[in-house]
Amino acid sequence: MQLCDSGLRRFLYKMFPETGVLILLSLASLLTGTAGNNGTLIRLVNGHNNCSGRVEVYYNGQWGTVCDDGWGVADAQVVCRELGCGVALSATTHAQFGQGSGNIALDDVACVGTETSLLNCPAANLGSNNCDHSEDAGVVCSVFSDPDYKGTRVRLANGFNNCSGRVEVYHAGTWGTVCDDWWVIDDAEVVCKQVGCGAAISSTGSAWFGEGNGPVWLNDVRCMGSEPSLLDCSSAGLGSQRCTHAEDAGVICAGHHPSSSLLSQSVRLAGGSSCSGRVEV
């Protein structure tokens, strides 16, 4: 589902340049009924792809890591299933995917493996731990699981969760970004489907999710929206670009997006339909 239409997106970006995307996320949550875990979200960071990496939890307004005390495959199974990444292949420890920063949100996690969310597993109280970041836990899930793959693939980086972020392409053994020239909702639609994140809510430009590094692999991408992969879309070709990382493109997908409970204000449309009306906060 595309959230309403491009007119509403443009209006929100113009009227609320700093929070327009967050308002869209809030509206999407209200319209689709998808919610987070009481304001707590899960993502994977610094992995080979969207379905491997360091486990991070959004809690109390910031991202934090999970301590590896007692961390096992049952815990990884819950994370992989929660993020739509298939089954767990391994539970990693000792900061295999690099050390995080900020708080350590969870410690002594003891999932059975059948829980619907990591936050439903027995654990020490959120924020209570006796660890440091050398003990950060991670997972490798079955979807996109081959770390030795040398072809081309796509991931999202530095987003709110696993289904939003800067679009990155793995090519010739290196992760790089996508330029935002001609980057629109049809391009985002292809990326969201490719990474298993449902429909596109928004396409972002101007490094909205931060500037990447390495090559800018793609430019002038022009998808129709029905292609199975971003690499099937028309473009200037891999490596043909004239952009800087200030133009890195991103997406926000419908799957696993933040709920309105993460925002400081609730948003609704009044006096119209589900996709029109007076914006009230």
Side-chain angles (χ1 to χ4, degrees), residues 175-251:
W175 286 103
T177 62
V178 177
C179 183
D180 63 8
D181 290 351
W182 300 101
W183 188 254
V184 296
I185 194 70
D186 288 339
D187 309 311
E189 189 73 25
V190 172
V191 170
C192 290
K193 286 187 297 185
Q194 183 175 357
V195 299
C197 285
I201 292 174
S202 179
S203 56
T204 70
S206 301
W208 203 89
F209 288 103
E211 296 187 14
N213 48 48
V216 180
W217 280 128
L218 282 176
N219 187 26
D220 295 335
V221 178
R222 301 191 189 191
C223 301
M224 297 179 64
S226 57
E227 295 89 346
S229 165
L230 186 65
L231 275 297
D232 292 321
C233 299
S234 173
S235 74
L238 283 160
S240 299
Q241 53 81 25
R242 58 183 183 277
C243 304
T244 69
H245 286 298
E247 301 169 85
D248 284 346
V251 300

Side-chain angles (χ1 to χ4, degrees), residues 107-197:
D107 188 16
D108 297 328
V109 179
C111 301
V112 174
T114 57
E115 295 88 349
T116 57
S117 169
L118 186 66
L119 276 299
N120 293 334
C121 297
N125 292 333
L126 277 163
S128 176
N129 72 87
N130 58 356
C131 308
D132 59 48
H133 285 298
S134 66
E135 301 170 84
D136 285 344
V139 299
V140 177
C141 307
S142 61
V143 178
F144 306 116
S145 61
D146 183 5
D148 297 318
Y149 178 69
K150 300 302 182 185
T152 302
R153 59 192 178 202
V154 175
R155 72 178 180 185
L156 304 180
N158 205 38
F160 306 114
N161 46 56
N162 248 41
C163 287
S164 64
R166 181 177 60 248
V167 179
E168 296 190 345
V169 174
Y170 187 82
H171 175 67
T174 303
W175 286 103
T177 62
V178 177
C179 183
D180 63 8
D181 290 351
W182 300 101
W183 188 254
V184 296
I185 194 70
D186 288 339
D187 309 311
E189 189 73 25
V190 172
V191 170
C192 290
K193 286 187 297 185
Q194 183 175 357
V195 299
C197 285

Side-chain angles (χ1 to χ4, degrees), residues 25-34 257 260 266-269:
L25 290 168
S26 181
L27 290 172
S29 181
L30 293 171
L31 295 173
T32 64
T34 304
H257 57 73
S260 57
S266 297
V267 181
R268 68 176 181 178
L269 295 178

